[in-house]
Amino acid sequence: LSLVHFSGDFYSAFISPLFPVFMERMGLSLAQVGFLAGISRFLMFIVQPMSGYWADRHPSRSFILIGLLMPILFIPLTGLTTGFYGLMFCIVIGSTGSSLFHPPVTGMVPQYAGRKLGLAMSIYNTAGTLAFGVGPIFITWYVARFGLRAMPVTMAIGLSIWIYFYWVIPKPKGDEMAQYGFLETLRQTLGSVWQPILLIWIVMVLRALVGQSLMTFMPVLWVQKGHTIVSAGVLFSIFTISGTVAGIHCGHLSDRMGYKRLLWITHGLMTPFLLMILLIPGNWIYPATILAGGYNMASLPLGVVMAQKIAPKGRSMVASLMMGLAFGTGGILSPLVGKLGDIYSIQSVLMVLV
């Protein structure tokens, strides 16, 4: 399940670090980049609750296999596009596929986690975070060496792994939700616990808004400050990989000291460390990025596990609310952040946002 998560997110991670290259090649504005990032995250995340609903109602491997195939095929095709609309089309198809496979795969994790759900969920989330760390390093190196037009060749990696998944992925287990409509499924899933679920979701939205805005525009800001595209890709990967390590560590700690207390600590320390990466000059940016990425990502598995424990029915839908809908709600504001960055400066806007 973690390998599925890694494989899909590996291709989704190609988009953001290549925005500076797309801007130079196509003459895109920051507002257009923000729009592309926003629609990508809208489709990648906000439509996940509907996918989670159908996955709980009709358990099937098709959501996983078809959804995974879409980013593997269409994200590399962005390298062949020559204008804004062609680029948007490929991003839309690839992002929609991501929204299809995430909920059923995430919903399957508790079925195989045993007693260490916090650690298991953090390992699963870590696979996706690691993909967003390794993906930018790979694709920025690849494009710098071979060019954008060679991107379709990278499909070969994903297609070979997809064939393996076709033979080994088990069918998801259902929660006997097939007889319910969407609203009744929500009632069965959330019931009397909707208030704590809403509070956790708000925290996840706030974390996603800041984190996704930084991940969208920090590569652009780093290039503006004199970093090369490869250097910006490395910093982007450091930000996400440090979150990978922090996620595993927090997942292990949460099984021992509880989810709520650890969520307070990690979320509370996020702001000062994020400010550091916007203010610290020179080579100090590297250790600052490690700390910022770690505290930004650490609370994600905690929120998902807390929600699934509070509302154990409809695991796919609950996971999609905490990950997909929360990420997407924060991400769709990227066009506004980009527009404000065009008017003022992206550094100033990110400072205020953090």
Side-chain angles (χ1 to χ4, degrees):
L1 296 176
S2 296
L3 185 58
V4 172
H5 197 191
F6 176 88
S7 302
D9 285 356
F10 178 77
Y11 282 90
S12 297
F14 288 5
I15 299 172
S16 288
L18 291 181
F19 276 145
V21 183
F22 290 131
M23 289 177 70
E24 181 181 355
R25 176 176 172 177
M26 303 176 188
L28 303 179
S29 68
L30 283 173
Q32 287 176 309
V33 168
F35 177 81
L36 289 172
I39 196 170
S40 170
R41 289 183 179 122
F42 176 84
L43 294 170
M44 196 182 299
F45 299 124
I46 282 191
V47 299
Q48 278 194 32
M50 285 304 299
S51 177
Y53 160 67
W54 283 106
D56 284 330
R57 191 178 184 187
H58 304 288
S60 170
R61 300 192 327 148
S62 299
F63 287 99
I64 301 172
L65 294 173
I66 295 175
L68 184 60
L69 189 61
M70 291 164 73
I72 289 174
L73 294 179
F74 282 90
I75 297 301
L77 287 176
T78 59
L80 298 181
T81 60
T82 57
F84 174 76
Y85 293 104
L87 179 62
M88 182 176 67
F89 174 80
C90 290
I91 290 176
V92 163
I93 302 299
S95 299
T96 301
S98 181
S99 74
L100 291 179
F101 80 80
H102 270 93
V105 176
T106 308
M108 292 170 69
V109 173
Q111 299 172 6
Y112 301 96
R115 291 179 296 175
K116 295 188 177 294
L117 179 55
L119 179 59
M121 185 61 72
S122 67
I123 291 173
Y124 168 79
N125 280 316
T126 288
T129 307
L130 181 62
F132 275 98
V134 175
I137 291 178
F138 169 78
I139 199 60
T140 51
W141 166 82
Y142 185 88
V143 169
R145 176 159 187 156
F146 301 107
L148 282 174
R149 291 198 166 274
M151 279 182 64
V153 177
T154 64
M155 292 181 193
I157 303 171
L159 289 174
S160 61
I161 299 174
W162 186 89
I163 294 171
Y164 170 72
F165 289 147
Y166 180 82
W167 292 107
V168 302
I169 289 176
K171 181 181 177 180
K173 298 176 183 177
D175 290 307
E176 299 181 354
M177 296 283 188
Q179 70 270 32
Y180 301 128
F182 182 72
L183 294 179
E184 180 62 19
T185 299
L186 279 177
R187 193 186 73 79
Q188 290 285 333
T189 301
L190 304 182
S192 60
V193 299
W194 69 270
Q195 289 177 313
I197 292 292
L198 177 62
L199 290 174
I200 298 171
W201 181 78
I202 290 172
V203 172
M204 293 295 100
V205 169
L206 293 174
R207 190 200 67 80
L209 170 60
V210 177
Q212 294 299 311
S213 296
L214 285 169
M215 292 177 72
T216 299
F217 295 107
M218 283 305 295
V220 177
L221 179 61
W222 284 325
V223 170
Q224 289 178 354
K225 289 185 174 184
H227 291 274
T228 65
I229 183 65
V230 175
S231 176
V234 169
L235 285 168
F236 186 93
S237 295
I238 289 173
F239 186 86
T240 51
I241 290 173
S242 63
T244 299
V245 177
I248 293 179
H249 186 57
C250 284
H252 175 65
L253 287 177
S254 68
D255 288 323
R256 302 174 60 185
M257 63 182 290
Y259 307 109
K260 184 176 180 179
R261 186 191 311 172
L262 201 56
L263 183 64
W264 274 96
I265 295 171
T266 56
H267 198 76
L269 291 175
M270 183 175 70
T271 295
F273 287 115
L274 289 178
L275 286 172
M276 287 174 60
I277 64 172
L278 294 172
L279 296 174
I280 290 182
N283 289 332
W284 286 104
I285 187 67
Y286 291 95
T289 302
I290 293 174
L291 292 170
Y295 279 97
N296 178 60
M297 300 287 189
S299 61
L300 175 59
L302 304 177
V304 176
V305 172
M306 284 177 65
Q308 287 187 327
K309 280 189 170 292
I310 293 171
K313 280 191 174 183
R315 292 181 298 268
S316 296
M317 176 171 282
V318 170
S320 69
L321 291 172
M322 292 301 122
M323 295 177 66
L325 187 60
F327 263 73
T329 303
I332 58 173
L333 296 175
S334 292
L336 177 60
V337 175
K339 184 63 177 177
L340 291 173
D342 283 329
I343 296 172
Y344 303 103
S345 72
I346 196 61
Q347 166 107 5
S348 302
V349 174
L350 291 177
M351 285 281 293
V352 172
L353 189 61
V354 168

